């Protein structure tokens, strides 16, 4: 990067909260009230057909309504009303989850502005056209104070850009041509300088448009695990439906024919209505938790895959280390005084505008003015050195391989590399004067985070362009499991394919065009918003904050989604046991008095027992909505320990809670006349 990354940035005076997505916070009861109209609209049978479990409840509610109208009684009316509440509460869970997305989408819509674009013509002149008239490949000029009319890449110039409307961050960012920080988003504002942008998307397909569609749920598709669970729940529903239907012939033979209302209540209480009602909300909430952290997932499949990731590929620079290496030591070789080396290193770094070059100047006491006629020599990939020519003095600083080495300089270079540093050789007229040690500082607590990932069963691999000795030292210091040194794009692809062939899911981050193939190949590819359009198109997630370490949080969110779904499924299946003990003895107690022994909750009457079970079945959905939206708290642990915890907390809790709940509801229901 150039020195522009260090340029003081203006404060645009906005609070992060003003642009951060609204409605993505903690659950509040008010959300139930706001989402109630949407829940009523979802009573449409065409919507209910999407959820087989709740469609069965909807059909049962319709049948109960018909029989309640034909033969009204306190019992039939109560059962019918609470069956409808069951369907409504299931709709409410989904509506609350979607309502958060709609609030976020509304915030994003306010960032979209109909702008006039300054389209650059082939002859160098400009024409003013509406932003919606721009085509892919058009070049537009944007200057300070103007809104960027569409998504694209900077092809000329450098500027500070206010992206707070998208990311929520008030600090402007640098966007420049020719690097990995060239991508700009339509709707953001240029604060300084002038840039030329090549448009990369058609109108209506911009990044903001896709964000709106995704957070609203318009493009939400069920994930493979969600589809598999839906099939399982549908199968259980069919089994219970056949079991309930077969009860009527048995009851008729025994002389105790059951009403359609009672059979419907039994079916609704036995099928997994709880998880069936919350399944969609859990998936939507998982994507919502990512949005809260300024990560946009292109599909729920990506979020779910993050929870199953077993290999994590992490760039060293900016992820494991702070990124800007700093000069920490000057090591003169024999025959060179420290002052001579310092003076030469200072002169060689005057024109070096990289963070490393500036750190050398700081270590040597600051920049010095060159009075004699001189010529600066910029760094090139071919020469791998930079410096200054002053008369017949040719002072250079660069990679060790670019200079003739001596035994002593080779030893110093090897020691610095082995210690995790980067050596820069300083020479004058091809005579090596000494070596500068550049240190790459590992971010604090990285070792603990990697240990946490290891407990989660995730293998971490550091990817770096450094030499193997430096890579090994950084890997040992940070605690990463493995490393890939001197990595090229094809090396990343080979590593990802090797991991996937072993049956493992791979996640990685990237921001450059050369990262695009690997991002596309990985199961979870997180592209940085600051990166190129190619990287963002290749990945299935975009981090609006451009923070590579966020990949670790994304994995945790994915695992939380899977754990929440598993925990609530366990609870839903377990609480059927209590409803079984409430309804079946009530149905046949009049025919087989000995069944009264199964009335372990000592419920008031068969009618109150059935009504109490139906009421609990509806209320438990409302009670679990906050947990479905917030997610079950995730703690790094093994799969065995996780299963044990789920069975203990949600399995045992799913058995005990309904017994207590139905008994308490029965105390109220028995007071109703006719019960």
């Amino acid at each position: 990067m150039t020195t522009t990354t260090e340029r003081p940035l203006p404060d645009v005076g906005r609070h992060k909260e003003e642009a951060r997505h609204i409605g993505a916070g903690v659950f509040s009861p008010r959300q139930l009230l706001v989402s109630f109209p949407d829940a009523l609209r979802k009573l449409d049978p065409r919507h209910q057909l999407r959820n087989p479990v709740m469609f069965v409840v909807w059909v049962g509610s319709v049948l109960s309504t018909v029989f309640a109208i034909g033969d009204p009684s306190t019992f039939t009316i109560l059962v019918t009303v609470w069956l409808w509440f069951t369907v409504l509460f299931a709709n409410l869970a989904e509506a609350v989850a979607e309502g958060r997305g709609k609030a976020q989408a509304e915030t994003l819509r306010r960032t979209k502005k109909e702008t006039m674009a300054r389209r650059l013509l082939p002859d160098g002149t400009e024409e003013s056209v509406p932003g919606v008239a721009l085509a892919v490949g058009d070049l537009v000029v944007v200057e300070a104070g103007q809104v960027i009319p569409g998504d694209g890449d900077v092809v000329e110039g450098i500027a500070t850009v206010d992206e707070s409307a998208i990311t929520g961050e008030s600090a402007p960012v640098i966007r420049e041509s020719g690097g990995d920080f060239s991508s700009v988003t339509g709707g953001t504002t240029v604060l300084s300088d002038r840039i030329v942008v090549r448009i990369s998307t058609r109108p209506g397909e911009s990044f903001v448009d896709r964000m709106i569609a995704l957070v609203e749920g318009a493009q939400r598709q069920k994930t493979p695990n969600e589809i598999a669970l839906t099939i399982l729940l549908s199968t259980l529903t069919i089994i219970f439906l056949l079991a309930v239907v077969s009860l009527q012939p048995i009851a008729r033979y025994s002389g105790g024919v059951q009403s359609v209302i009672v059979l419907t209540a039994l079916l609704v209480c036995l099928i997994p209505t709880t998880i069936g009602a919350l399944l969609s909300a859990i998936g939507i909430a998982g994507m919502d938790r990512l949005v809260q952290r300024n990560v946009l997932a292109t599909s729920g499949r990506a979020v779910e895959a993050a929870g199953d990731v077993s290999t994590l590929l992490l760039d060293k620079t900016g992820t494991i280390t702070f990124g800007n290496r700093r000069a920490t030591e000057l090591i003169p070789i024999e025959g060179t005084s420290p002052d001579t080396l310092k003076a030469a290193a200072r002169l060689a770094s005057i024109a070096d505008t990289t963070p490393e070059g500036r750190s050398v100047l700081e270590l040597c006491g600051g920049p010095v003015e060159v009075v004699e006629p001189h010529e600066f020599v910029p760094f090139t990939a071919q020469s791998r050195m930079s410096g200054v020519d002053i008369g017949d003095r040719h002072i250079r600083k660069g990679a060790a391989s670019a200079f003739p080495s001596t035994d002593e300089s080779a030893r110093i270079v090897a020691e610095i590399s082995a210690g995790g540093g980067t050596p820069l050789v300083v020479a004058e007229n091809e005579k090596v004067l000494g070596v500068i040690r550049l240190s790459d500082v590992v971010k604090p607590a990285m070792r603990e985070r990697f240990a946490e990932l290891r407990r989660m069963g995730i293998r971490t691999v550091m990817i770096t362009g450094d030499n193997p000795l430096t890579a090994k030292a950084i890997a040992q210091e940070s605690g990463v499991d493995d490393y890939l040194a001197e990595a090229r794009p094809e090396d990343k692809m080979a590593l990802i394919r090797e991991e996937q062939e072993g049956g493992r899911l791979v996640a990685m981050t990237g921001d450059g065009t050369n990262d695009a193939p690997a991002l596309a190949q990985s199961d979870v590819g997180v592209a940085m918003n600051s990166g190129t359009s190619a990287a963002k198109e290749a990945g299935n997630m975009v981090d609006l904050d451009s923070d590579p370490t966020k990949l670790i949080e994304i994995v945790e969110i994915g695992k939380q989604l899977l754990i929440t779904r598993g925990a609530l499924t366990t609870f839903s299946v377990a609480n059927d046991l209590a409803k079984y003990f409430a309804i079946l003895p009530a149905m046949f107690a009049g025919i087989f008095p000995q069944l009264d022994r199964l009335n372990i909750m000592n419920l008031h009457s068969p009618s109150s027992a059935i009504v109490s079970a139906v009421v609990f079945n509806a209320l438990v959905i409302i009670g679990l909505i906050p947990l479905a939206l917030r997610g079950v708290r995730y703690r790094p642990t093994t799969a065995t320990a996780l299963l044990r915890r789920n069975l203990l907390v949600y399995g045992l809790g799913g058995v005990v809670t309904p017994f207590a709940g139905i008994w308490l509801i029965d105390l109220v229901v028995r007071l109703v006349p006719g019960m």
Side-chain angles (χ1 to χ4, degrees):
M1 291 295 294
T2 64
T3 53
T4 51
T5 53
E6 300 295 321
R7 184 185 300 173
L9 299 175
D11 182 6
V12 296
R14 295 185 183 178
H15 294 290
K16 185 175 180 178
E17 290 76 13
E18 291 179 2
R20 187 169 289 280
H21 306 301
I22 296 173
V26 180
F27 172 83
S28 68
R30 182 177 176 274
Q31 292 173 325
L32 295 175
L33 185 62
V34 172
S35 302
F36 193 77
D38 285 334
L40 289 174
R41 283 190 285 271
K42 290 178 182 291
L43 290 174
D44 186 328
R46 291 170 296 183
H47 178 82
Q48 296 300 316
L49 272 170
R50 302 175 189 173
N51 188 331
V53 176
M54 297 315 300
F55 180 69
V56 170
V57 181
W58 183 89
V59 172
S61 303
V62 172
L63 283 175
S64 298
T65 302
V66 172
F67 282 93
I69 293 174
D71 182 24
S73 67
T74 303
F75 172 73
T76 57
I77 292 174
L78 282 176
V79 170
T80 300
V81 167
W82 281 98
L83 286 179
W84 280 113
F85 274 137
T86 304
V87 180
L88 188 62
F89 292 163
N91 293 344
L92 196 58
E94 185 177 18
V96 169
E98 290 178 348
R100 293 181 169 196
K102 290 177 181 177
Q104 296 156 10
E106 185 58 34
T107 302
L108 289 170
R109 279 197 182 91
R110 289 198 291 269
T111 70
K112 292 189 64 179
K113 301 174 183 177
E114 292 298 331
T115 58
M116 295 299 292
R118 296 166 55 189
R119 183 160 57 189
L120 200 60
L121 299 177
D123 61 3
T125 60
E126 299 177 9
E127 66 173 346
S128 182
V129 298
V132 294
L134 293 173
V136 175
D138 281 349
L139 297 178
V140 296
V141 178
V142 192
E143 295 184 339
Q146 296 179 342
V147 175
I148 297 173
D151 293 0
D153 292 298
V154 179
V155 295
E156 180 185 321
I158 181 171
T160 56
V161 180
D162 175 14
E163 294 187 342
S164 62
I166 305 298
T167 66
E169 293 290 349
S170 59
V173 296
I174 299 293
R175 292 291 178 260
E176 60 185 322
S177 62
D180 290 342
F181 297 90
S182 61
S183 177
V184 291
T185 305
T188 57
T189 305
V190 172
L191 298 179
S192 69
D193 304 295
R194 173 187 183 273
I195 53 175
V196 177
V197 177
R198 178 181 287 114
I199 300 298
S200 61
T201 59
R202 291 186 291 270
E205 298 179 4
S206 70
F207 188 65
V208 174
D209 290 315
R210 284 186 288 136
M211 284 183 68
I212 291 172
L214 288 166
V215 299
E216 279 188 321
Q219 297 181 14
R220 196 185 99 83
Q221 297 177 342
K222 290 187 176 180
T223 61
N225 282 352
E226 193 174 346
I227 292 172
L229 184 54
T230 300
I231 294 172
L232 173 62
L233 298 180
S234 300
T235 303
L236 289 175
T237 300
I238 293 171
I239 292 172
F240 281 121
L241 178 61
L242 295 175
V244 170
V245 169
S246 66
L247 281 178
Q248 190 68 300
I250 298 173
R252 183 177 290 109
Y253 177 79
S254 303
V257 177
Q258 300 296 321
S259 67
V260 173
I261 295 286
V262 172
L263 292 174
T264 301
L266 175 64
L267 175 63
V268 169
C269 288
L270 292 186
I271 64 176
T273 51
T274 305
I275 185 61
L278 298 172
L279 188 58
S280 180
I282 293 171
I284 295 171
M287 294 186 71
D288 177 71
R289 282 193 289 276
L290 277 181
V291 173
Q292 292 178 42
R293 289 163 177 79
N294 272 356
V295 177
L296 174 66
T298 59
S299 69
R301 182 188 296 266
V303 186
E304 190 174 89
D308 286 328
V309 161
S310 51
T311 302
L312 214 55
L313 306 186
L314 300 163
D315 275 334
K316 183 204 74 171
T317 306
T319 303
I320 296 174
T321 65
F322 280 108
N324 292 338
R325 296 168 298 177
R326 299 188 61 81
T328 55
E329 186 180 5
L330 296 175
I331 306 174
I333 65 170
E334 187 176 352
T336 302
S337 69
D339 290 339
T340 300
L341 176 60
K342 180 185 291 187
R346 176 186 290 181
L347 288 171
S349 303
I350 293 174
D352 187 350
T353 57
T354 64
E356 293 86 352
R358 289 193 298 276
S359 72
V360 172
L361 287 177
E362 291 175 9
L363 182 65
C364 296
V368 62
E369 184 178 355
V370 182
V371 180
E372 302 92 333
H374 62 277
E375 181 181 352
F376 291 119
V377 179
F379 175 87
T380 66
Q382 288 74 29
S383 67
R384 290 168 296 157
M385 64 175 73
S386 62
V388 63
D389 292 338
I390 306 174
D392 59 355
R393 299 178 64 194
H394 306 292
I395 303 170
R396 298 290 186 269
K397 175 195 71 186
S401 58
F403 298 90
S405 65
T406 64
D407 291 341
E408 186 179 5
S409 67
R411 177 184 59 79
I412 296 172
V413 166
E415 287 178 356
I416 292 175
S417 298
T422 301
L424 281 182
V425 171
V426 180
E428 181 173 343
N429 296 335
E430 297 189 354
K431 178 188 177 183
V432 176
L433 302 177
V435 184
I436 304 171
R437 183 196 300 271
L438 295 179
S439 300
D440 212 348
V441 181
V442 174
K443 292 182 178 180
M446 289 305 295
R447 176 173 287 275
E448 290 76 8
R449 297 205 74 174
F450 288 139
E452 190 175 288
L453 288 169
R454 204 170 294 116
R455 289 195 296 272
M456 294 159 56
I458 296 174
R459 176 171 169 263
T460 52
V461 181
M462 180 185 76
I463 298 177
T464 176
D466 289 339
N467 62 69
L469 285 175
T470 301
K472 181 180 179 181
I474 295 295
Q476 290 176 341
E477 183 181 353
S478 64
V480 73
D481 295 319
D482 202 354
Y483 64 89
L484 178 65
E486 298 178 340
R488 299 167 299 171
E490 52 267 33
D491 297 328
K492 297 179 185 179
M493 287 286 291
L495 177 60
I496 292 172
R497 286 181 178 140
E498 181 183 341
E499 293 289 324
Q500 291 172 332
E501 287 170 1
R504 293 177 286 272
L505 296 187
V506 180
M508 73 162 289
T509 61
D511 58 7
T513 301
N514 63 341
D515 291 324
L519 286 170
Q521 179 67 33
S522 59
D523 300 283
V524 180
V526 184
M528 302 295 101
N529 187 44
S530 61
T532 62
S533 296
K536 290 196 282 189
E537 288 294 330
N540 50 23
M541 292 188 186
V542 177
D543 176 19
L544 303 180
D545 293 331
S546 300
D547 176 10
T549 62
K550 200 177 289 185
L551 182 56
I552 298 173
E553 294 181 47
I554 291 171
V555 170
E556 292 176 349
I557 291 171
K559 287 191 174 294
Q560 185 184 36
L561 169 66
L562 297 178
I563 291 169
T564 301
R565 189 183 293 155
L568 292 184
T569 300
T570 303
F571 182 91
S572 177
V573 174
N575 72 20
D576 287 341
L577 182 63
K579 290 179 281 188
Y580 170 87
F581 277 99
I583 295 181
L584 281 185
M587 288 176 62
F588 296 103
I591 307 170
F592 304 107
Q594 57 269 35
L595 285 178
D596 193 54
R597 297 175 184 174
L598 295 178
N599 185 15
I600 57 179
M601 289 177 278
N602 195 28
L603 302 178
H604 175 65
S605 66
S607 296
S608 71
I610 294 171
V611 171
S612 299
V614 172
V615 172
F616 175 83
N617 194 60
L619 292 180
V620 74
I621 295 173
I622 286 289
L624 290 175
I625 287 178
L627 182 61
L629 298 181
R630 184 180 67 250
V632 174
R633 185 179 177 185
Y634 171 70
R635 297 182 181 89
T637 184
T638 62
T640 303
L642 189 61
L643 177 61
R644 189 186 307 117
R645 176 174 172 266
N646 268 2
L647 290 176
L648 180 63
V649 176
Y650 295 98
L652 184 60
V655 172
V656 173
T657 303
F659 277 99
I662 291 173
W663 178 75
L664 290 172
I665 293 171
D666 180 73
L667 295 179
V668 177
V669 171
R670 68 177 62 184
L671 301 177
V672 178
M675 297 302 296

